[in-house]
Amino acid sequence: MTFALRINGQTRQVDAPPDQPLLWVLRVQLGLKGTKFGCGVGACGACTVHLDGQAVRSCVTPVGAVEQALVITIEGLAAKDALHPVQQAWIDEDVAQCGYCQAGQIMAVASLLAETPNPSDDEIDARLTNLCRCGAYTRIRTAIRRAAELMKERAA
């Protein structure tokens, strides 16, 4: 079956069974390798992308369910001339260790901050369920605060 997907601002045609996970369409057919395969059951969040602005786990999202939606991957998060504030905060706070989960973490945080610009610790804990095998959670939380500041500065 052929789908016209809106990925990172471009319409892309892909042939896939409707139940094929979006993750494999992104990585294999479209070559967008920033979205990672982690657990394959939607538990770890390494595959997180935005679907109409909401963070979703692409390993459990069938491609047949996203044809009318706007999909943003880590490759499409930044503006043309500047990193997204979450990406900049990740660099500023030296968050990444092995880095494998970082694209999914960044996408989850960007979605959180778009909805909740100044989240409490409880809101962060409730929304960010992505796993980091390196245990960089303290630096991730610091980067979330830094990203929130950057977003306020850019909005001013």
Side-chain angles (χ1 to χ4, degrees):
M1 189 166 189
T2 300
F3 296 96
L5 303 178
R6 295 185 309 149
I7 310 283
N8 298 334
Q10 297 180 336
T11 300
R12 309 280 300 267
Q13 301 286 329
V14 297
D15 290 317
D19 61 346
Q20 182 172 19
L22 175 62
L23 172 65
W24 298 123
V25 170
L26 295 171
R27 288 186 57 83
V28 177
Q29 291 193 35
L30 300 177
L32 298 169
K33 305 288 187 185
T35 305
K36 304 296 186 204
F37 174 73
C39 64
V41 295
C44 75
C47 65
T48 302
V49 299
H50 292 176
L51 191 61
D52 287 336
Q54 300 295 311
V56 299
R57 308 285 166 96
S58 64
C59 72
V60 293
T61 302
V63 69
V66 303
E67 189 166 26
Q68 300 301 317
L70 174 60
V71 178
I72 302 293
T73 68
I74 191 71
E75 291 91 346
L77 186 62
K80 291 180 182 173
D81 59 344
L83 292 175
H84 186 280
V86 177
Q87 293 169 313
Q88 186 60 57
W90 242 247
I91 293 168
D92 293 349
E93 300 301 331
D94 198 21
V95 172
Q97 289 187 21
C98 83
Y100 195 81
C101 70
Q102 298 307 301
Q105 299 274 3
I106 289 169
M107 296 306 287
V109 171
S111 177
L112 168 67
L113 293 177
E115 293 177 19
T116 309
N118 191 22
S120 68
D121 286 344
D122 289 342
E123 289 169 318
I124 292 170
D125 292 342
R127 286 282 307 274
L128 295 180
T129 57
N130 294 47
L131 301 177
C132 174
R133 291 185 293 188
C134 301
Y137 297 108
T138 301
R139 291 197 307 237
I140 289 170
R141 189 174 301 268
T142 302
I144 292 169
R145 300 282 180 235
R146 176 72 182 130
E149 291 172 10
L150 290 171
M151 291 174 84
K152 286 179 195 168
E153 290 172 13
R154 289 185 186 183

